[in-house]
Every structure is written in C-alpha cells, then in structure tokens.
Amino acid sequence: MADVARVAGVSSQTVSRVSNGYPGVTEETRQQVLTAMKELGYRPNSAARALKRGEFRTIGVILFSLSTTGNVRTLEAIATSAAEEGYAVTLLPVAVPTQDEVRGAFSRLGELAVDAVIVIMEVHLLDTATVTLPPNVQIVVADSDAGDRYSVVDTDQAGGSRAAVRHLLELGHRTVWHLAGPEESFAAQRRAAAWRATLTEAGRVPPPLVRGDWSAESGYRAGLRLAEEAGCTAVFAANDQMALGLLRALQERGRSVPHDVSVIGFDDIPESGSFLPPLTTVHQDFAEVGRRCVAGVLRQMRRQSAEPGTALVPTRLVVRDSTAPPPA
C-alpha cells in the first residue's frame, strides 16, 4: 500500500479509502490510485480486511443435491443476491445425506471462514444435538419445517398443492390421484398432505398414493400403472419432471391428455410450457426463495441474533393445456 501511495503521490490512507470503496476521494485522485495499483499489480488482501472488519464477506451454502431444478435455481439466486450485497458464496456439497456428512460440512465452515450459512436440505439431518456452528455464524434453512429452531424460507407447498387439486375438482373430476415425491422429502410430504386434506374436505375419497423419486423415469413407471386405472381421470404430480414421464406413459397406453386424463405438475420449470401438451402446473418462485435466504442471513448478522420462524413464498397456478373436464 505504501508503494502504491508513493507512485500515485498520495497518502496510504487515501489508497486505503480507494481500495475499500469509501467516499471522500476525488475522481481524479481515485484514478491516480487505480492506475498505480494496476502498474504495481497491487490487490487488496481479503484476509487482512477480514481481520480488520471482523467479517469475511462470505456466505456458505450447504446442500445435498445439485441435480434437482429447485436446488440449482435457488443456489443461482443466492449467488446473485449475495454478489449484489458484496458477498461471495462458498459451496459445501454433502456427498451423502447422512448425519456424519452434515456434521462434517458444518465443521468445515470454521476452516473456510464464512459469516453465515444457508442450508438447503431436509430438516431431519439438522440434529441440534450433534451439529455445532462456529461462533457468530448465522443460519437460514430453505425447504424445511424447522421454523421452531431456525429461520426458514420455504415455498407455500400446501397452498400450491391445494390450488392444483381444487382446479381439477372444479373442472368436474370426481377425485384426483397423486404422484408423490420421495418419502423423506419435506416438500413431498407437504404436497401429499395438502392433496389428501383437500380431497377429504371436498368429501372425496383419496385414491392410493403413487410414489416417485422426482425423476421423469419414475413418473413414466408410475404412469404405466395409472394408465391401467379405469377411474383415473386426473393426476396431480408433485413435480414437473415426473409429470413429463407420466405424459409419455399415458400416451403410450392410448390415454389422451387432457381428454381422457388431466395432468398437473408442480414447479413450473422453463420447459413445462413446451411439453406436449403444455403442462398446467404450480409456479414456484425459486429466485425469491434465494433472495429471502440472503436477506435473512444478512439481517441476522447485523442484529447478531437468530430469528426462528418460517417465511412462506407464495405460489400461483399456471393453467395450460394438460387439464380439462373429465370425459363424459
């Protein structure tokens, strides 16, 4: 810094103000300092900054899977929102969804020097008896029911599922079958519970639940089974990928969508409008989930305290061509 000050003809304090982006420096002087930095190959030391400020300007993100649409889009929004606030993101993937792996990821937080952590995984892996956070590190959890212990940001899973089932009932279907996600998934549990409750409240008997694993292939296998159910005229799939496999299976078995069977998904992935037929689905605002996660950890850092509770991001039904009244 002293070398930069000498070349630029200014004080070291002025170089510090320029490198840290502080006001009170004329544009001409700022350009002199920046030119000197470039000439000398000077870069501010982030470790020294962290020691001086008491913060690392880094947010850690712990997640299990990068293969699901929701996780990828939420992570993208977190990285974008963090960058807008001047923070970097450090990704800590958990190879296997076990308690030991999660403990290991939290242990690495201390080594990687982060100010806060956003967790994108199922709550049963967050055992407060075994997971220890480094001092002063704040946490926000996405897609969880841990609002009594952590600050949680989640999509309104139940509201979106109720809207999907009501849409099909209002079209005249006597009942709605459900292609659910994996049993250990919080989102799948919430969507299945809302499906069952909505049918029960409407005086309809819920059909047997059919289980998938979020993949299009599992939707295809389930679709082959549902195509054999003569009374099946409407299916609510817990995500759009499974709905895609379901559409293929129904077509192969000669069941026309939506004339014989109506199909509705959940997520509203960018490709859902290009399915054949275009898919009616529940839109999730993954970008808003990511933004709220970043805003939540920053708010906690500034107050130096956690805020237990759940903030729900609204969903909306997107009606396309895959749903219609049942056959006469």
Side-chain angles (χ1 to χ4, degrees):
M1 187 177 291
D3 292 337
V4 173
R6 177 177 49 80
V7 172
V10 299
S11 67
S12 294
Q13 184 180 13
T14 299
V15 175
S16 176
R17 296 184 72 83
V18 172
S19 64
N20 287 289
Y22 293 147
V25 180
T26 66
E27 185 58 31
E28 181 181 357
T29 300
R30 187 181 305 279
Q31 289 305 319
Q32 287 177 225
V33 173
L34 293 175
T35 300
M37 285 180 175
K38 184 176 181 181
E39 179 182 333
L40 296 175
Y42 170 81
R43 291 185 300 170
N45 189 308
S46 59
R49 279 182 173 180
L51 289 172
K52 183 177 180 180
R53 295 177 176 175
E55 62 177 13
F56 302 98
R57 307 292 293 182
T58 301
I59 298 172
V61 178
I62 298 178
L63 81 170
F64 166 55
S65 175
L66 275 170
S67 62
T68 64
T69 298
N71 282 2
V72 171
R73 293 174 66 183
T74 301
L75 179 60
E76 178 184 22
I78 289 171
T80 300
S81 298
E84 290 173 352
E85 295 286 344
Y87 283 77
V89 168
T90 297
L91 183 62
L92 294 92
V94 175
V96 182
T98 64
Q99 197 70 61
D100 287 341
E101 286 286 335
V102 173
R103 279 198 299 269
F106 274 90
S107 297
R108 292 196 298 276
L109 285 175
E111 304 168 13
L112 295 174
V114 300
D115 301 302
V117 60
I118 297 171
V119 181
I120 309 175
M121 64 173 57
E122 302 303 331
V123 68
H124 66 270
L125 293 174
L126 287 174
D127 184 352
T128 53
T130 58
V131 170
T132 303
L133 285 174
N136 300 320
V137 171
Q138 304 300 331
I139 180 171
V140 167
V141 184
D143 186 21
S144 169
D145 63 353
D148 57 336
R149 288 177 285 159
Y150 300 101
S151 179
V152 174
V153 179
D154 188 31
T155 295
D156 186 2
Q157 312 285 352
S161 301
R162 286 179 176 276
V165 176
R166 286 171 181 158
H167 171 67
L168 293 167
L169 293 178
E170 288 168 1
L171 286 172
H173 295 275
R174 294 180 60 82
T175 192
V176 178
W177 292 68
H178 184 43
L179 173 50
E183 193 169 5
E184 66 274 10
S185 165
F186 164 75
Q189 293 172 14
R190 278 286 194 270
R191 294 170 199 179
W195 157 77
R196 185 175 289 106
T198 305
L199 287 179
T200 302
E201 290 166 6
R204 315 298 170 87
V205 178
L209 182 144
V210 180
R211 185 78 64 181
D213 61 10
W214 298 131
S215 70
E217 180 59 32
S218 71
Y220 173 74
R221 293 192 299 267
L224 294 177
R225 171 185 166 186
L226 290 170
E228 302 304 318
E229 297 285 348
C232 177
T233 65
V235 182
F236 166 40
N239 77 336
D240 291 349
Q241 281 94 344
M242 291 194 297
L244 175 61
L246 173 65
L247 290 174
R248 175 192 164 197
L250 292 172
Q251 181 184 36
E252 288 184 1
R253 290 294 185 266
R255 301 291 297 278
S256 173
V257 176
H259 303 295
D260 297 323
V261 182
S262 286
V263 174
I264 188 167
F266 203 110
D267 283 345
D268 193 23
I269 62 175
E271 300 82 7
S272 60
S274 299
F275 288 3
L276 191 63
L279 184 68
T280 295
T281 185
V282 176
H283 177 81
Q284 286 201 79
D285 194 342
F286 296 109
E288 181 62 17
V289 171
R291 285 192 293 268
R292 291 198 188 187
C293 285
V294 172
V297 292
L298 294 181
R299 188 165 55 250
Q300 289 182 27
M301 287 164 54
R302 288 156 186 164
R303 296 178 182 173
Q304 289 295 305
S305 63
E307 301 174 347
T310 300
L312 290 181
V313 176
T315 56
R316 59 183 172 86
L317 183 66
V318 180
V319 179
R320 298 194 179 101
D321 298 339
S322 65
T323 53

